[in-house]
Amino acid sequence: MQIIPLYKKEDYTYNTPGNFVPTLTAVLNEDESVRPAMIIVPGGAYLTVSPAEGILIAQKFRDLGYNCFVLTATMNVNGMLAPLRKQPFHDLEKAVRFIRKEHERFHIDPEKVVVHGFSGGGHIAATLLCHADEEGKEDGISAKPNAFVFSYPVIDTEKFDAVKKCLFGDEPTEEEMNWVSAVKNIPADAPPCFIWHTNGDIHVPPENSIILERALAEKGIFHELHIFATGHHGQSLATEEWKAGNYPSDDAVAQYAEAIRHEIEHRDGSFRSALFDIEKITDPEEAIALQKASLYPSADAEVNESLKIWPVLCDTFLKNVLK
């Protein structure tokens, strides 16, 4: 795996403590065959990045024949920072353009780029679905993918106050709320979309995927929706490996790690956590380890045999639309 900064520090303008910049973690096949690319955008409600929806997913789709990249986008750490506004959207745009520009280096087909968003990452993906290239292309390179995958995505932003606050603060304008609404902005030429959700998801109910599907249908966009009978939120691959937490998290926790290190060095109050009292910790690695532990599935997380088929269904759909 290779972690690739998307910005030079001096070009990254969002004010987050420490030396963090958004990154891509490359999870590639070892041969030099030209393959489709998949950019994976983990969930985390715009507050954090879920490791369960990052490298674990990339390894699965690498084995299915994709060269994969996990985006560690900008988050509003613990909701303490300035509103994100369009920063995560710009991170994802930059990621798509970067791998297209570097397609020979990564052995990918620049006309077969998939963006795959989970939960809150699904909302970042949905903003790209609606607004790619609205501010123009960069060096003539489009940020519009060739297909999307949405895994239990956040779509109905009116019902998620935390998302609205992280993005636009306590009083978002009508213009901001209209911009961030996926169902109001889907273009007639949107790429094909694969969507899946579970009926048992109480945190991001399946209605989110249903309203996305209806909006796509109204525009005549080629798509496929699967709603599984069982399964809670954040199920990732729903396997034993997922539940056990057998996957890396350094990329996912990078922005938190930098904020923790900054706070312990400077003690300026820029980072606080409900998980631990940072004022009583002198070793940043101790606090970072506690932060990592909080990101893995809880003890009551359930393996779900029915859900294990979703990557196969997704791959079959993508092979059909990326011919």
Side-chain angles (χ1 to χ4, degrees):
M1 291 183 293
Q2 179 185 5
I3 297 180
I4 306 158
L6 281 173
Y7 302 82
K8 295 179 180 178
K9 184 61 179 177
E10 60 268 24
D11 296 330
Y12 177 62
T13 57
Y14 185 74
N15 188 18
T16 183
N19 295 315
F20 169 80
V21 296
T23 62
L24 286 175
T25 301
V27 181
L28 310 175
N29 287 274
E30 294 184 359
D31 60 35
E32 295 187 358
S33 298
V34 176
R35 300 173 182 273
M38 179 177 286
I39 299 173
I40 297 158
V41 191
Y46 286 102
L47 292 166
T48 188
V49 176
S50 168
E53 295 155 355
I55 290 172
L56 180 68
I57 301 298
Q59 291 170 335
K60 178 66 176 181
F61 279 89
R62 175 200 59 196
D63 294 345
L64 288 170
Y66 302 79
N67 281 341
C68 296
F69 305 82
V70 180
L71 175 64
T72 301
T74 309
M75 296 291 111
N76 191 332
V77 172
N78 285 345
M80 294 181 64
L81 305 182
L84 292 163
R85 304 200 183 278
K86 296 182 181 181
Q87 184 66 55
F89 162 74
H90 288 309
D91 296 344
L92 182 52
E93 274 203 318
K94 195 169 188 70
V96 174
R97 290 178 177 138
F98 172 77
I99 66 165
R100 280 202 168 121
K101 183 177 181 180
E102 300 290 334
H103 67 274
E104 293 182 352
R105 170 183 170 187
F106 296 117
H107 307 293
I108 64 108
D109 185 336
E111 300 305 318
K112 295 183 179 180
V113 176
V114 181
V115 165
H116 185 168
F118 286 79
S119 190
H123 186 262
I124 301 174
T127 61
L128 188 68
L129 173 72
C130 296
H131 300 293
D133 298 333
E134 71 176 9
E135 298 173 11
K137 298 179 181 180
E138 186 176 290
D139 298 328
I141 300 173
S142 174
K144 181 179 178 180
N146 304 97
F148 281 91
V149 178
F150 294 96
S151 294
Y152 42 88
V154 171
I155 298 297
D156 188 1
T157 47
E158 292 289 344
K159 295 182 179 179
F160 289 89
D161 289 338
V163 168
K164 289 188 286 186
K165 185 172 182 178
C166 282
L167 288 173
F168 297 119
D170 292 323
E171 297 182 3
T173 66
E174 182 178 354
E175 181 182 4
E176 288 170 335
M177 290 308 299
N178 284 336
W179 184 88
V180 86
S181 171
V183 295
K184 293 180 181 178
N185 293 291
I186 292 174
D189 61 347
C193 298
F194 179 92
I195 315 162
W196 73 276
H197 220 117
T198 62
N199 268 329
D201 192 335
I202 61 174
H203 296 292
V204 181
E207 286 77 13
N208 283 268
S209 286
I210 292 169
I211 63 172
L212 175 60
E213 187 277 334
R214 287 293 81 202
L216 293 169
E218 288 175 6
K219 292 293 179 72
I221 307 303
F222 191 76
H223 67 280
E224 183 168 315
L225 168 65
H226 296 269
I227 298 181
F228 294 89
T230 60
H232 55 76
H233 186 65
Q235 288 242 243
S236 180
L237 296 179
T239 58
E240 292 81 0
E241 183 184 15
W242 155 74
K243 181 175 179 177
N246 293 330
Y247 34 88
S249 60
D250 284 351
D251 62 321
V253 80
Q255 189 178 2
Y256 271 78
E258 283 299 311
I260 287 167
R261 292 188 182 106
H262 176 89
E263 176 60 26
I264 289 176
E265 180 179 355
H266 297 282
R267 300 298 183 183
D268 59 4
S270 60
F271 179 86
R272 290 289 181 269
S273 174
L275 297 171
F276 49 83
D277 186 350
I278 190 96
E279 292 182 359
K280 296 180 179 179
I281 296 176
T282 58
D283 180 2
E285 298 309 312
E286 177 186 351
I288 292 167
L290 291 170
Q291 188 67 42
K292 287 181 179 180
S294 73
L295 296 175
Y296 286 102
S298 59
D300 60 352
E302 298 177 357
V303 172
N304 191 313
E305 294 294 331
S306 297
L307 291 184
K308 291 180 182 180
I309 196 174
W310 79 258
V312 177
L313 296 172
C314 178
D315 177 47
T316 302
F317 175 86
L318 292 174
K319 281 184 166 58
N320 183 36
V321 301
L322 296 176
K323 292 178 179 177

